[in-house]
Amino acid sequence: EDIRRDREGPNKWPIEWNDNKYVVNRIEWVAEMFGYVIAAAHLDLRHEIVDLQMVPSVHKRLVPGIPFLHYHVRIETADHKFWNKGDDHAGQRFPWPVAAGTDPVTTRLLTALHEA
């Protein structure tokens, strides 16, 4: 069934989808994901779901075979320094050297940023 912003009732566009907290460069990032999911369902496409990412501050140990670091959250080092990809100058200013005791996933991300 169609889900549209202008509809009334159970098939109305949920108000949460209009949340502007997640607008990046004036493009609502969730719109692309919902568009793909709705189109895939319409075409009866099936997907295999495989865990391919680790998130610093969520995952604390590196896992062999999971190749991607998804850094969409604010991360903190053991000495309470913070980094967030949305901060001004995030590509030039990040905690370095990484403090001893920082979890391996966060350490790997900050090392990759340093080496880039």
Side-chain angles (χ1 to χ4, degrees):
E1 294 186 39
D2 288 336
I3 297 175
R4 297 192 335 230
R5 189 182 296 229
D6 62 329
R7 276 220 167 148
E8 295 296 326
N11 292 330
K12 181 166 178 49
W13 184 277
I15 191 69
E16 296 83 15
W17 291 7
N18 296 325
D19 189 345
N20 287 328
K21 289 188 298 191
Y22 303 105
V23 173
V24 179
N25 295 329
R26 307 306 313 156
I27 298 172
E28 295 181 24
W29 68 273
V30 291
E32 180 181 337
M33 291 187 292
F34 281 120
Y36 176 81
V37 169
I38 291 168
H42 181 73
L43 295 171
D44 200 30
L45 292 178
R46 303 291 179 204
H47 296 79
E48 180 180 343
I49 299 172
V50 180
D51 193 2
L52 292 175
Q53 69 181 13
M54 290 177 286
V55 178
S57 78
V58 174
H59 300 97
K60 301 298 182 185
R61 294 179 299 141
L62 291 170
V63 178
I66 299 183
F68 299 106
L69 293 172
H70 187 133
Y71 49 94
H72 64 285
V73 295
R74 184 172 112 156
I75 64 170
E76 181 178 3
T77 59
D79 59 350
H80 306 292
K81 293 182 181 172
F82 296 95
W83 181 84
N84 186 319
K85 74 176 185 177
D87 292 341
D88 290 340
H89 309 293
Q92 295 86 27
R93 298 182 192 152
F94 45 87
W96 192 260
V98 180
T102 300
D103 70 84
V105 176
T106 298
T107 299
R108 177 66 190 107
L109 171 66
L110 293 173
T111 300
L113 287 170
H114 178 72
E115 292 173 353

